[in-house]
Amino acid sequence: MEAKAQVRYLRMTPMKARRVVDLIRGKSTAEAEDILRFAPQAASEPVLKLVKSAIANARVKADQAGERFDERELIVSAAFVDEGPTMKRFQPRAQGRAFQIKKRTSHVTVVVAPANK
């Protein structure tokens, strides 16, 4: 039984978030948590929180179905980052000009499933 968790409108560029998500795809959840805990990237903190949320969702799903649950059997079966809406801001520049600043957002999704699938 697989479980999913996602964070939407994360104030981080998709390119930076993908660097972190690529590290954990296909790994066991315990290994993914260790990688994210010590990764220097800023995106590792919200992705770690998302992995923990997906594990909790799997626990709830297993309880509702009356199945046995073991956290050590779970792997990150899918993890991907989609682009969210971009906030556009303007910064004043010399001689009355304005430069556009694009504040990008991300939608991050993590799916965990038992390893024996």
Side-chain angles (χ1 to χ4, degrees):
M1 177 176 300
E2 66 180 29
K4 178 174 85 167
Q6 64 182 161
V7 60
R8 302 192 60 192
Y9 308 105
L10 178 66
R11 264 294 293 123
M12 188 156 304
T13 66
M15 185 178 273
K16 290 178 183 178
R18 280 188 194 110
R19 285 181 57 198
V20 174
V21 168
D22 290 343
L23 294 173
I24 63 166
R25 194 177 296 115
K27 304 265 194 307
S28 71
T29 54
E31 189 179 353
E33 284 183 27
D34 289 340
I35 289 170
L36 293 171
R37 197 170 288 118
F38 297 107
Q41 291 86 2
S44 62
E45 187 178 333
V47 174
L48 174 62
K49 200 170 177 181
L50 193 61
V51 168
K52 288 181 179 181
S53 178
I55 293 168
N57 290 346
R59 180 178 290 115
V60 169
K61 270 186 146 180
D63 287 345
Q64 287 176 346
E67 296 179 4
R68 187 182 64 81
F69 179 77
D70 187 10
E71 187 177 313
R72 295 170 293 193
E73 293 178 0
L74 293 177
I75 62 165
V76 179
S77 61
F80 53 91
V81 180
D82 294 325
E83 192 169 333
T86 302
M87 297 186 287
K88 295 178 177 85
R89 302 291 181 261
F90 291 97
Q91 181 177 20
R93 300 303 290 212
Q95 299 179 359
R97 292 186 175 89
F99 279 9
Q100 191 176 43
I101 297 173
K102 294 182 179 178
K103 297 189 173 193
R104 300 182 189 274
T105 61
S106 304
H107 301 320
V108 184
T109 305
V110 172
V111 180
V112 295
N116 54 11
K117 270 196 167 182

